[in-house]
Amino acid sequence: MLSSQPKALLKAVDGVSFTLGAGETLGLVGESGCGKSTLGRAILRLLPNIQGDVIWKNQNLITLSPNELRQKRRELQIIFQDPLASLNPRMTVGEIIAEPLRTFQPNLRNHDMKKIVQDMMAKMGLLPDQINRYPHEFSGGQCQRIGIARAMINNPELIICDEPVSALDVSIQAQIVNLLMDLQREKNLSLIFISHNLSVVRHISHRIMVLYLGKVVELTDRDRLYANPRHPYTRALISAVPLPDPNKEQKKKHTVISGELPSPLNPPSGCAFRTRCPLATDVCAQKTPPLEQIEPNHWVACHHWDESLKIAK
Ligand code: SF4
């Protein structure tokens, strides 16, 4: 039976605007379901029904023809969370890494292609003589190195890293993050680093954007965000990060976020965070707080951003 109910419109990400410099890393943080991965995929036009503009080197990616977009993909890459699942199990590592080369440099001779792939494997800390092995023969960390090698093989200028270390052991996470930072320094790569792990994001990012229910609630430099978070949601996220010193950790004031992320199909009126916010007042239910610049390079969407400081003291 067909329903006569009108379909509800779900805006997974709404009104997000930011810039990214060459050689810069922008961290995207927030709980699962806040729109981080959707935003990353929307930038690369990997999703349908995108409205807005993505200006990449003076060209709007949203209005490019499929063929023009295919050409741009050489400069724009993505690496995914689950390293093994993101690699084709029927292809050898050599074939996986070479695939983008074949697309953009179809005239490359096999011998030269193999040399480029093996050089890239060595650069990623993989053994070049394992070129004919299959993904299941590698560990999770090695599979992520293969994914990065594939993303890097055409010298991209931007890589969207979608939770690239979440599925890895902590010691391996550090290796992969350091590898990405080395590549960035060497190639002046721009990175958008998506993660719910604020320690990792702090290590790699220059600036950080905090998302809640598809909207930006805070955007500023990494050091400023951790030293002086102004949005109650950011404060709670940061307070949940354990400190390495157990004494400091014991004395730390924890801010716990109660409740669940509301459904984006039926978001709260006014401020979307108000159902979980310890500072919420009547105005929060009535008016959506705009994203305001409160000091140089620091934007916050909260009616009471100055109150959050008093509470922290
Ligand atoms: S606008 Fe109100 S509900 Fe929203 S974060 Fe600020 S104080 Fe909390």
Side-chain angles (χ1 to χ4, degrees), residues 139-159:
S139 67
Q142 287 172 321
C143 284
Q144 196 55 288
R145 287 173 191 270
I146 296 166
I148 297 171
R150 183 188 149 91
M152 288 299 299
I153 199 78
N154 277 319
N155 282 318
E157 293 173 45
L158 167 69
I159 299 187

Side-chain angles (χ1 to χ4, degrees), residues 57 74-75 99 105 110 165 169 216 219 249 258 272:
K57 299 200 301 187
R74 183 173 184 160
E75 298 165 19
E99 200 179 27
Q105 299 185 59
N110 282 346
V165 297
D169 292 340
V216 181
L219 170 62
E249 175 61 22
S258 57

Side-chain angles (χ1 to χ4, degrees), residues 12-13 35 37-51 62 73:
V13 176
S37 294
T38 303
L39 178 58
R41 284 166 168 75
I43 291 166
L44 298 186
R45 257 181 75 180
L46 297 176
L47 296 173
N49 302 327
I50 304 163
Q51 289 177 6
I62 301 299
R73 295 230 180 272

Side-chain angles (χ1 to χ4, degrees), residues 231-232 271 273-274 277 279-280 284 289 302-304:
H231 195 282
C271 173
F273 188 55
R274 72 176 171 81
C277 180
L279 299 182
C284 304
C302 173
H303 294 305
H304 304 304

Side-chain angles (χ1 to χ4, degrees), residues 24 32 66 73 79 115 128 136 138 140 142 145 159 166 183 198 205 209 225 236 247 267 269 273 285-286 289 297 307:
E24 184 185 26
S32 297
R73 295 230 180 272
I79 51 179
K115 170 92 176 60
H136 71 270
F138 292 86
Q142 287 172 321
R145 287 173 191 270
I159 299 187
S166 306
L183 291 170
L198 271 88
S205 304
M209 186 157 84
L225 189 87
N247 292 326
S269 64
F273 188 55
Q286 290 152 11
N297 299 321
E307 294 292 316

